[in-house]
Amino acid sequence: VLAGGGERDLAGKHVVVSAGGTREPLDPVRFLGNRSSGKQGYALARSAVARGARVTLLSANAALPDPAGVDVVHVGTAVQLREAVLKAAADADAVVMAAAVADFRPETYATGKIKKKDGQEPAPIALVRNPDILAEISADRPRPGQVVVGFAAETDDVLANGRAKLARKGCDLLVVNEVGERKTFGSEENEAVILGADGSEIPVPYGPKDALADRIWDEVVRRG
Ligand code: CTP
Ligand code: CA
């Protein structure tokens, strides 16, 4: 079954999707991470393949099988993801940042396992900022006319926060979900609003992540 009503409306296009969550190592056995499963990004990759796109999926620590027909690049950290995005985006028609990128990483990496010391409290972990990949490619599009899409999970005034984030990042579309009762982490379903830099606001009702993926590609195609 083809997605999007069976249309191959992404034929001849190269799309880049990031998925999962970055892990920022502290030592050889420990990391700072997040709970992103990668399912929404993988759904985006499958949907784009079904619509005829050449798809590069930059997968950060997602415990999911590589989707058929997709070029999958596995990365670990935010810095590695940035390198992979910049490389893949050079000739891309669209870039969708579905990955949860760690905002901070430990300032230092211990090459040996960090050990407890008798009678001593642990030292605090110093953090530094990671690069903002979405803001960087939005500001400096590797290819003219490239459509750039971000994601955001928000609480409180979800739409106002989403609008402000869209403006701050400079992307074309921001897919905003509310973090709450029906958890989006690890779930097969999602509910979102797709905000456009042109002022558009498209609510997507609670449903499969595949359906949200198709709706996102519809909006990308409209702008491509
Ligand atoms: N993102 C990114 N690089 C980062 C952080 C986030 O590319 N260092 C991308 C994410 O992939 C996502 C979007 O930016 O598509 C929004 O992520 P979010 O964490 O909501 O944005 P932040 O600017 O980090 O805002 P907050 O302080 O609310 O976490
Ligand atoms: Ca963040």
Coordinates of all heavy atoms in Angstrom, one line a residue, residues 2 6 17 39 41 48 69 71 73 79-80 91 104 114 116 128 136 147 157-158 163 167 177 211 217:
L2 N 0.6 2.1 -0.9 CA 1.4 3.3 -1.0 C 0.8 4.4 -0.1 O -0.4 4.5 0.0 CB 1.5 3.9 -2.4 CG 2.3 3.1 -3.4 CD1 2.3 3.8 -4.8 CD2 3.8 3.1 -2.9
G6 N -1.2 6.9 -2.6 CA -0.5 6.2 -3.6 C 0.3 7.1 -4.5 O 0.8 6.7 -5.6
V17 N 16.3 12.7 6.9 CA 15.5 12.6 8.1 C 16.5 12.2 9.3 O 17.2 11.2 9.1 CB 14.4 11.6 8.0 CG1 13.6 11.5 9.3 CG2 13.4 11.9 6.9
K39 N 10.8 6.2 16.6 CA 9.7 5.7 15.7 C 9.1 6.8 14.8 O 8.8 6.4 13.6 CB 8.6 5.2 16.6 CG 8.9 3.9 17.3 CD 7.8 3.4 18.2 CE 8.2 2.1 18.9 NZ 7.3 1.7 20.0
G41 N 10.7 9.4 13.4 CA 11.6 9.6 12.3 C 11.7 8.4 11.3 O 11.7 8.6 10.1
A48 N 8.4 8.5 3.1 CA 9.1 9.2 2.0 C 9.5 8.2 0.9 O 9.4 8.4 -0.3 CB 10.3 9.9 2.5
G69 N 15.1 0.1 1.6 CA 15.2 1.1 0.6 C 15.7 2.4 1.1 O 15.6 3.4 0.4
D71 N 18.9 4.7 2.9 CA 20.3 4.8 3.3 C 20.4 5.2 4.7 O 20.0 6.3 5.1 CB 21.0 5.9 2.5 CG 21.3 5.5 1.0 OD1 21.5 4.3 0.8 OD2 21.3 6.4 0.2
V73 N 22.4 6.0 8.1 CA 23.7 6.4 8.7 C 23.5 6.4 10.2 O 22.7 7.1 10.7 CB 24.2 7.7 8.2 CG1 25.6 8.1 8.9 CG2 24.3 7.8 6.7
V79 N 27.3 16.1 18.1 CA 28.4 16.5 17.2 C 28.5 15.6 15.9 O 28.6 16.1 14.8 CB 29.7 16.7 17.9 CG1 30.9 16.9 17.0 CG2 29.7 17.8 18.9
Q80 N 28.4 14.3 16.1 CA 28.4 13.4 15.0 C 27.2 13.6 14.1 O 27.3 13.5 12.9 CB 28.5 11.9 15.5 CG 29.8 11.6 16.1 CD 29.7 10.3 16.9 OE1 28.7 9.6 17.0 NE2 30.9 9.8 17.4
D91 N 22.9 18.1 -0.9 CA 22.1 18.0 -2.1 C 20.6 17.6 -1.8 O 20.0 17.0 -2.7 CB 22.7 17.0 -3.1 CG 22.6 15.5 -2.6 OD1 22.3 15.3 -1.4 OD2 22.7 14.6 -3.4
F104 N 23.1 19.7 25.8 CA 24.4 19.8 26.4 C 25.1 18.5 26.4 O 24.5 17.4 26.2 CB 24.1 20.1 27.9 CG 23.2 21.2 28.2 CD1 21.9 20.9 28.8 CD2 23.4 22.5 27.9 CE1 21.0 21.9 29.0 CE2 22.5 23.5 28.1 CZ 21.3 23.2 28.7
I114 N 34.8 6.0 35.3 CA 34.8 6.9 36.5 C 34.5 6.0 37.7 O 33.5 5.2 37.7 CB 33.7 8.0 36.3 CG1 34.0 8.9 35.1 CG2 33.6 8.8 37.6 CD1 32.9 9.8 34.7
K116 N 34.1 5.3 42.0 CA 33.8 5.9 43.3 C 35.0 6.0 44.1 O 36.0 5.2 43.9 CB 32.8 5.0 44.1 CG 31.5 4.8 43.4 CD 30.5 4.0 44.3 CE 30.9 2.6 44.5 NZ 31.1 1.8 43.3
V128 N 28.6 21.5 28.6 CA 28.7 22.6 27.6 C 27.6 22.4 26.6 O 27.0 21.3 26.4 CB 30.1 22.6 26.9 CG1 31.2 22.9 27.9 CG2 30.4 21.2 26.2
E136 N 21.2 26.0 12.5 CA 22.3 26.2 11.6 C 21.9 25.9 10.2 O 22.2 26.8 9.3 CB 23.5 25.3 12.0 CG 24.7 25.5 11.2 CD 25.9 24.6 11.7 OE1 25.8 24.0 12.8 OE2 26.9 24.5 10.9
V147 N 13.5 22.7 1.9 CA 12.5 22.8 3.0 C 13.1 22.2 4.3 O 13.5 21.0 4.3 CB 11.2 22.1 2.6 CG1 10.2 22.2 3.6 CG2 10.7 22.6 1.2
D157 N 1.7 26.5 27.3 CA 1.1 27.1 26.1 C 1.8 26.6 24.9 O 2.7 27.2 24.4 CB 1.1 28.7 26.2 CG 0.2 29.3 25.2 OD1 -0.2 28.6 24.2 OD2 -0.2 30.5 25.3
V158 N 1.4 25.4 24.5 CA 2.1 24.7 23.5 C 2.2 25.4 22.1 O 3.3 25.5 21.5 CB 1.3 23.3 23.2 CG1 1.9 22.5 22.1 CG2 1.3 22.5 24.5
R163 N 5.2 28.5 18.2 CA 5.4 29.7 17.3 C 6.8 30.4 17.6 O 7.5 30.8 16.6 CB 4.3 30.7 17.5 CG 3.1 30.5 16.7 CD 3.2 31.1 15.3 NE 2.3 30.4 14.4 CZ 2.5 29.9 13.2 NH1 3.7 30.1 12.6 NH2 1.6 29.3 12.5
A167 N 10.1 30.6 15.0 CA 10.7 31.9 14.6 C 12.2 31.8 15.0 O 13.1 32.3 14.2 CB 10.0 33.0 15.3
N177 N 4.3 18.7 19.4 CA 3.4 17.9 20.2 C 3.4 18.4 21.6 O 4.3 18.9 22.1 CB 3.7 16.4 20.2 CG 4.8 15.9 19.4 OD1 6.0 16.1 19.8 ND2 4.4 15.3 18.4
A211 N 0.6 8.2 9.9 CA -0.3 9.2 9.4 C 0.2 10.6 9.5 O 0.1 11.4 8.6 CB -1.7 9.0 10.1
W217 N 4.9 15.2 5.0 CA 5.4 15.2 3.7 C 4.4 16.0 2.7 O 4.9 16.6 1.8 CB 5.6 13.8 3.1 CG 6.8 13.1 3.8 CD1 6.8 11.9 4.4 CD2 8.1 13.6 3.9 NE1 8.0 11.6 4.9 CE2 8.9 12.6 4.6 CE3 8.8 14.7 3.4 CZ2 10.2 12.7 4.9 CZ3 10.1 14.9 3.7 CH2 10.9 13.9 4.4

